[in-house]
Amino acid sequence: MDGVDLHTHSNISDGTLSPLELVQAAAAKGIHTLALTDHDTMDGIALAEQAALTLTQPLKIISGVEISSQWSRPATKKSYGVHIVALNMQNPAPLYQLLEQQKRIRAERSKQICDLLIPLIGQDIYADVLAKVDNIADRVTRSHIAQTLVEKGIVSRVQQAFDKYIKEGKKAYVKFDGLGLEETIAVIHAAGGFAVLAHPTRYDLSATNIRYLIEIFAKFGGDAVELPPAVDPASTRQMVDRMIAEFNLKVSVGSDFHGDHMPWIKLGNIPRLKEGQLGIWESFV
């Protein structure tokens, strides 16, 4: 598994490196299998593939995308956001149709967030946010909005922007009304890809809800669970490992690298597999 990173971002979504720069950085790290998994877009894949062809050593680009989805418990009406990484699509046409819908939702949501911020911060930052993504509205993520709030001196750190204004429960939060979990997995499979539950411990969920999320992900036909990072408590990793074994799921590994604005996340820094776990990359064509 050394040299594999199946969860990375470029500046096509909320990363800081271009696809070319990301591929070059991956090669410098000794990575030989790289998935570019930008948020709700595959627009950078061809650029990454072209960049890989210029390298002196082989680097395989895996087609990927991180899809914003949602799920809920039957006993409640509350829905939760969840990210599903789609990997190695052989027939991406069905997925492209979904992503066009996701892009429209993303563009509308970013404008709504910026409008909600106006009375809170006393200014309209939407034009500044758009400038970060070459005025392509469907590329805006909450990270771009948070970075703009930092640059304007409204908050001192990106996380403070989330905590004060734009995370769930705050006044400028807008839910991403994406496709349901079961439908998301079905579309990925229709595209000939593999569905991976991304960073299962990063949704501010209780242990009970994490276990239930993995259970229904498996029930709906999900293929693999992304292993928690090494910084997570050992007990958390053990819980996820137990659920992976119970539901006979494969595992995926990814750094969730974004670039300069998240310097604590290093490209190629991935967790280790435990005995008996099977990597989803072993199933790639």
Side-chain angles (χ1 to χ4, degrees), residues 8-277:
T8 67
H9 297 272
S10 75
N11 64 359
I12 300 299
S13 63
D14 59 347
T16 58
L17 301 184
S18 69
L20 169 63
E21 292 167 334
L22 177 65
V23 168
Q24 292 172 336
K29 289 277 189 177
I31 293 170
H32 58 72
T33 303
L34 178 76
L36 175 56
T37 56
D38 280 318
H39 292 283
D40 297 307
T41 179
M42 294 176 65
D43 291 352
I45 302 296
L47 296 172
E49 291 173 338
Q50 292 168 12
L53 295 176
T54 69
L55 300 174
T56 56
Q57 70 269 43
L59 194 157
K60 184 176 182 179
I61 301 297
I62 304 299
S63 60
V65 57
E66 186 171 10
I67 302 172
S68 301
S69 185
Q70 56 187 334
W71 66 282
S72 62
R73 294 187 69 109
T76 70
K77 294 183 179 180
K78 179 175 173 56
S79 63
Y80 302 87
V82 64
H83 289 175
I84 305 300
V85 168
L87 293 174
N88 203 46
M89 279 66 69
Q90 302 303 301
N91 174 33
L95 194 52
Y96 284 139
Q97 296 176 19
L98 165 64
L99 295 180
E100 287 304 312
Q101 173 185 325
Q102 297 282 92
K103 286 179 180 181
R104 289 194 295 273
I105 295 171
R106 184 172 294 282
E108 293 168 0
R109 181 199 194 202
S110 63
K111 181 63 167 63
Q112 290 169 0
I113 292 173
C114 289
D115 287 346
L116 288 172
L117 282 169
I118 293 174
L120 301 176
I121 65 175
Q123 57 183 296
D124 186 350
I125 63 169
Y126 186 60
D128 299 282
V129 171
L130 282 179
K132 289 185 169 299
V133 291
D134 298 325
N135 290 307
I136 303 174
D138 58 41
R139 290 186 182 174
V140 175
T141 69
R142 284 186 297 165
S143 291
H144 294 115
I145 296 171
Q147 291 162 26
T148 303
L149 290 173
V150 172
E151 292 167 4
K152 294 285 186 180
I154 295 163
V155 294
S156 58
R157 296 175 292 107
V158 165
Q159 189 57 50
Q160 187 180 15
F162 279 86
D163 293 342
K164 190 173 182 179
Y165 296 113
I166 60 176
K167 77 176 184 180
E168 187 171 3
K170 301 304 177 180
K171 291 185 177 180
Y173 174 76
V174 176
K175 175 186 171 185
F176 191 103
D177 195 17
L179 204 62
L181 178 58
E182 184 173 12
E183 293 82 4
T184 300
I185 294 170
V187 172
I188 293 170
H189 287 166
F194 296 94
V196 176
L197 176 60
H199 41 67
T201 61
R202 289 290 183 263
Y203 300 111
D204 292 326
L205 296 174
S206 67
T208 298
N209 273 342
I210 292 173
R211 289 193 295 268
Y212 182 75
L213 170 58
I214 295 174
E215 179 181 348
I216 63 168
F217 174 77
K219 175 185 175 182
F220 292 151
D223 300 292
V225 173
E226 201 170 84
L227 293 176
V231 296
D232 273 19
S235 59
T236 300
R237 171 64 191 268
Q238 290 164 4
M239 175 186 68
V240 173
D241 286 340
R242 285 195 300 271
M243 298 299 291
I244 288 169
E246 179 179 350
F247 294 103
N248 196 31
L249 293 161
K250 292 184 171 65
V251 301
S252 187
V253 291
S255 61
D256 200 8
F257 175 78
H258 281 73
D260 297 341
H261 62 287
M262 296 183 184
W264 59 91
I265 299 178
K266 306 297 183 183
L267 184 63
N269 186 11
I270 57 174
R272 311 296 299 183
L273 273 65
K274 297 294 176 65
E275 185 177 355
Q277 291 181 332

